[in-house]
Structures are given as C-alpha cells and as structure tokens.
Amino acid sequence: MRGRTLLVTGGSRGIGAAIATIAASRGWRVAVNYASNEAAATALVRSIGKAGGEAIGIKGDVGVEADVLRLFEAVDAAFGSLDALVNNAGVVDRKARVDEMSAARIERMMRANVIGSFLCAREAVRRMSTRHGGRGGAIVNVSSVAAVHGSPGEYVDYAASKGAIDSFTVGLAREVADEGIRVNAVRPGIVATEIHASGGQPDRIERLRGLVPMKREGEAHEVAHAILWLLSDEASYTTGAILNVSGGR
Ligand code: NAP
C-alpha cells in the first residue's frame, strides 16, 4: 500500500486510531480526521511519524458540509490524491427509550453517523471514481451489530443509524462497482474504546461481555485488521459485503 492515501474519519481515538496506526505501518499515507480532541490526534500523528509512517491530523465535524469540504481539500493539498476512505466517525448517546428521545438527539445521531458518512463518501467518489477521472479506490463504512439487534431500551436511534449505513453500503457499492471503487462495511460488536463512557455507561463492557459467544470484548486492532483487509488488494473482488467482527454476537 506504499504511497497510497487513506482518510480515516474519527481517527484520533479508539478503532479509528488503530486503523490509522496499522495502515501507516503498511505504507499508507494517512489523514486522521477528528472532531475536537486535538491532543489525541496530535499524539497519534506524532507516534505514527516516530514509527516511520506519514500522517496528518485534520479537524472537522463530518456532519457539517463545510467542514467535510475543508477536510477533503486539506487531504488534496497534503497528499495530492485519495485512494481510500474509512467512514469511522460515530457517536452514541445516553441510554433512553424511543418514547423519551428528543428530536435534537435523533438529529444529532443521524447527522454524525449517517449524513457524515454520505458527505464523506460523496467527496471520496468525486475524487476516486473513474467516471470523474479518478483511478479507483476503496471505502469501508463502520456499522455495528446494533444494526441487527436494534439496541432496545438503550439506543434504538444509534442502531437505526447503523442500519442506514448497511443499506448505504450495499447501494453505493452497486452504484460505483464499475467505476473502480469497492464499498464494504464492518459491524463491530462490543469493542474496548471510550465510546461506552461517552454514552454514560463506563461499565457497559463488564455488563455485556457475558452475552458475547466468545465471552470477551473485542480490541480496536481486531476491528482495524478486518478493515485493512477490505481496503487492500487482497479484497479485490469483495464489494457490498458487510462483515461482522463481533466475537460471534
Ligand atoms: P470513540 O473511541 O468514541 O472515538 C470516536 C472518534 O470519532 C473520535 O476520533 C472522535 O473525535 C470522532 N468523532 C465523533 N464525532 C465526530 C464527528 N461528528 N466528526 C468527526 N469525528 C467525530 O469511538 P469508537 O468506539 O472507536 O467507534 C468508532 C466507530 O465504531 C463508530 O462509528 C462506532 O459507532 C463504531 N462502533 C464501535 C463499537 C464499540 O464497541 N466501540 C461497536 C460497534 C460500532 P474526537 O477524538 O475529536 O472526539
């Protein structure tokens, strides 16, 4: 993958940071997008550089169109081309039933998780599609097993946003299949990152670990490795696929 450029949204922490780190170690030039945690993004970019990799950090909210335009322009300016996108940025919210959810909460969820992925994919297709003079590429969307289970009593809005990502993956994959772009998704299960605490449930992994057939949570690098495979030429005939990385759940 030497010399190819990858943009990872939400790359400063958790699964995104694992994707960025492993990708850089395999020769990808990596653009690390983040929403606000500049310290985490800067530390990651530094550690990739120290290990001999190439990375830049770019701030921007994927749910805001002007930010997304700026994000892709920054990638163009730094690297000159784009070969792959991982739509990884995502948010959860506090545990709530649907009959307790405000419109503002649902809008925030859909904006970050769904609209953000659409906007970033749009900009990536405009650059990578042979229809637009590009040289092809790959997109991986980060869904969740919540798309299948529905997360009742916890966050049905989050689950539904990931269900939208699954449909988006299949539709976009077929739309650009003969334009040199492969589009796939992974559905992580319970993975050890800060996202659970950000949803007000720091003990979520402890509580739910027993429901996983493998009886343990996943690590960010285990999800990242599946994504790196989908981005690679080894997956050259794989498009429209949605891969569970969930310990059997
Ligand atoms: P995390 O540790 O909470 O990290 C979230 C990342 O997304 C951070 O880099 C954050 O930036 C960024 N981000 C959040 N909102 C953003 C926005 N609007 N624009 C740009 N960046 C934004 O999350 P994670 O657990 O690694 O999750 C990554 C993906 O995996 C998400 O799509 C999530 O839904 C999915 N997933 C996670 C699990 C799990 O158990 N962890 C399971 C299934 C699916 P800052 O650092 O600036 O805040």
Side-chain angles (χ1 to χ4, degrees), residues 119-135:
L119 293 175
C120 290
R122 181 191 75 191
E123 292 307 306
V125 168
R126 286 177 178 173
R127 285 159 176 80
M128 301 190 310
S129 168
T130 53
R131 183 189 175 104
H132 297 295
R135 58 186 190 199

Side-chain angles (χ1 to χ4, degrees), residues 43 166 171 179 200 226 237:
D166 287 0
E179 298 172 22
Y237 198 54

Side-chain angles (χ1 to χ4, degrees), residues 13-224:
R13 296 183 288 118
I15 294 168
I19 298 165
T21 303
I22 298 168
S25 75
R26 294 185 184 176
W28 287 92
R29 302 182 299 182
V30 185
V32 176
N33 157 254
Y34 62 99
S36 59
N37 194 334
E38 191 164 351
T42 304
L44 178 68
V45 166
R46 275 210 193 109
S47 90
I48 288 174
K50 266 192 187 160
E54 200 177 343
I56 56 165
I58 309 168
K59 185 176 176 177
D61 182 339
V62 295
V64 175
E65 187 172 23
D67 282 19
V68 172
L69 295 176
R70 267 198 302 275
L71 166 62
F72 278 80
E73 281 163 11
V75 176
D76 294 342
F79 296 128
S81 63
L82 182 72
D83 302 285
L85 164 70
V86 180
N87 270 321
N88 168 77
V91 295
V92 293
D93 210 319
R94 303 271 148 171
K95 197 172 167 170
R97 286 170 48 96
V98 172
D99 55 15
E100 297 166 335
M101 289 178 189
S102 67
R105 168 187 166 129
I106 300 165
E107 276 179 17
R108 169 186 170 266
M109 185 75 71
M110 298 303 163
R111 182 159 285 287
N113 294 3
V114 183
I115 296 176
S117 296
F118 266 80
L119 293 175
C120 290
R122 181 191 75 191
E123 292 307 306
V125 168
R126 286 177 178 173
R127 285 159 176 80
M128 301 190 310
S129 168
T130 53
R131 183 189 175 104
H132 297 295
R135 58 186 190 199
I139 297 173
V140 176
N141 296 320
V142 181
S143 175
S144 168
V145 291
V148 179
H149 299 304
S151 304
E154 193 175 34
Y155 26 61
V156 173
D157 51 349
Y158 172 78
S161 77
K162 295 302 187 177
I165 290 299
D166 287 0
S167 304
F168 173 52
T169 299
V170 173
L172 182 63
R174 293 177 181 175
E175 194 165 288
V176 298
D178 65 352
E179 298 172 22
I181 303 177
R182 296 180 301 100
V183 184
N184 294 288
V186 296
R187 286 197 199 111
I190 301 166
V191 181
T193 71
E194 294 165 355
I195 201 169
H196 311 287
S198 76
Q201 301 187 63
D203 61 341
R204 186 166 182 268
I205 290 175
E206 296 274 285
R207 283 190 291 106
L208 299 184
R209 180 182 283 144
L211 300 176
V212 181
M214 286 178 73
K215 301 294 177 207
R216 68 169 178 87
E217 67 273 29
E219 299 296 332
H221 69 84
E222 296 179 294
V223 180

